[in-house]
Amino acid sequence: MDALFGFLALPGRAFLNFLAYLGQLGALVGELWESLTKGTLRLRLMAEQMVMIGYGSQAVVLVTGAFTGAVFTAQSYFKFKDFGIESTVGGIVSVSLCRELGPVLAGLMVTGRVGASMAAEIGTLKVSEQIDALRVMGAHPVDYLVLPRFLAMLISMPLLIAECIVFGLGASVIVGTGVFGIPFAWFWEHVRDHTNLEDLSFGMVKGFVFGILIVIISCHQGLVASNGAVGVGLGTTRAVVFSSLALLVANFFLTLLLNYFFPLGTAL
């Protein structure tokens, strides 16, 4: 009977742990808001983070966008050719890149590269007691460590998503017109007719939200790291896993919500 009660208690214990985790994230968001409104803006640290997040993620995001656009173009062409509508491939690919593929894939790539780095850097400072040293010197850890990363991410993430979309669309044009022989005029006409500012805004809003989730979750894992190198490694892994899952869940609800503000335009 005790074993049965213990088994039944597992979901409840997991739910309470989840609520406690959300509470910790909420507390960090509160501290970040206080730093944002009352703290010191450290431009040099912010610029360093922009280089690390934006410039450092160029290669992985551009390659991801280009090959995703190329593959999606090929798959769409093979299916649409059966119905004689292969010239509409450009419209399908451009809308998909703006609304879903660009923001989600760029977000996941940044999560793996930048989120892990943030958790490892801050976690190392935590276990080596350098964060305590910051407090002694009068610097608030959130103000000094989290705020520059947060602001840098807000600027870098939409730019990375825009680059992912542009390179994905460029690869789509090359594959669609160069490999499959779709006339460029037809291809580009469908891109222009079916892609508008609402589609691009859709992806940019997602980029802002994904960036906030990555910074909050990753920095939190670094700030709560303990138990030396093992704890830092565990926090880094959790930062990537939790950020990726949060990004995918948020993407679903954002898609439902944003369609009211940025409805899909002309039917394809």
Side-chain angles (χ1 to χ4, degrees):
M1 187 61 73
D2 291 341
L4 178 61
F5 283 137
F7 178 76
L8 294 176
L10 287 177
R13 190 178 298 115
F15 182 68
L16 291 176
N17 290 336
F18 179 67
L19 290 181
Y21 176 67
L22 291 181
Q24 293 176 18
L25 292 183
L28 178 57
V29 170
E31 290 185 69
L32 180 59
W33 176 254
E34 187 174 354
S35 296
L36 191 63
T37 54
K38 302 177 181 177
T40 303
L41 181 59
R42 295 176 168 85
L43 292 177
R44 186 181 63 81
L45 293 178
M46 181 178 158
E48 291 175 356
Q49 290 301 318
M50 287 181 63
V51 171
M52 195 275 287
I53 297 171
Y55 180 75
S57 302
Q58 295 282 310
V60 66
V61 168
L62 298 187
V63 170
T64 300
F67 279 93
T68 299
V71 169
F72 192 41
T73 300
Q75 293 285 17
S76 301
Y77 175 82
F78 293 139
K79 190 62 182 177
F80 285 9
K81 188 179 180 182
D82 295 339
F83 302 100
I85 55 173
E86 61 269 25
S87 62
T88 64
V89 166
I92 291 286
V93 173
S94 62
V95 171
S96 300
L97 283 171
C98 290
R99 288 180 166 252
E100 292 298 331
L101 296 177
V104 172
L105 293 177
L108 290 175
M109 291 299 106
V110 172
T111 297
R113 182 186 173 278
V114 177
S117 175
M118 287 183 181
E121 288 177 6
I122 298 177
T124 302
L125 295 176
K126 176 68 165 46
V127 298
S128 61
E129 300 182 348
Q130 294 184 60
I131 289 183
D132 295 332
L134 283 176
R135 294 183 189 277
V136 172
M137 291 187 292
H140 194 284
V142 174
D143 192 28
Y144 189 81
L145 297 173
V146 181
L147 183 59
R149 288 169 169 80
F150 176 77
L151 296 176
M153 181 68 84
L154 289 185
I155 297 173
S156 302
M157 194 66 190
L159 295 177
L160 289 172
I161 289 175
E163 291 176 350
C164 183
I165 293 171
V166 169
F167 273 74
L169 190 56
S172 177
V173 172
I174 293 173
V175 173
T177 61
V179 177
F180 296 118
I182 301 174
F184 177 80
W186 289 6
F187 189 97
W188 195 247
E189 182 181 355
H190 281 282
V191 171
R192 290 190 306 172
D193 287 348
H194 299 297
T195 311
N196 50 40
L197 187 60
E198 283 76 11
D199 298 316
L200 192 58
S201 301
F202 199 101
M204 293 300 105
V205 172
K206 282 188 174 181
F208 277 115
V209 177
F210 293 165
I212 293 171
L213 289 174
I214 293 170
V215 171
I216 296 297
I217 294 174
S218 301
C219 289
H220 172 261
Q221 287 299 324
L223 290 171
V224 299
S226 61
N227 196 26
V230 175
V232 174
L234 184 60
T236 302
T237 303
R238 285 176 174 170
V240 175
V241 173
F242 292 174
S243 297
S244 300
L245 293 176
L247 190 150
L248 294 174
V249 173
N251 181 55
F252 171 71
F253 291 105
L254 282 172
T255 299
L256 298 181
L257 177 64
L258 292 176
N259 268 291
Y260 287 101
F261 298 100
F262 308 109
L264 194 63
T266 307
L268 293 171

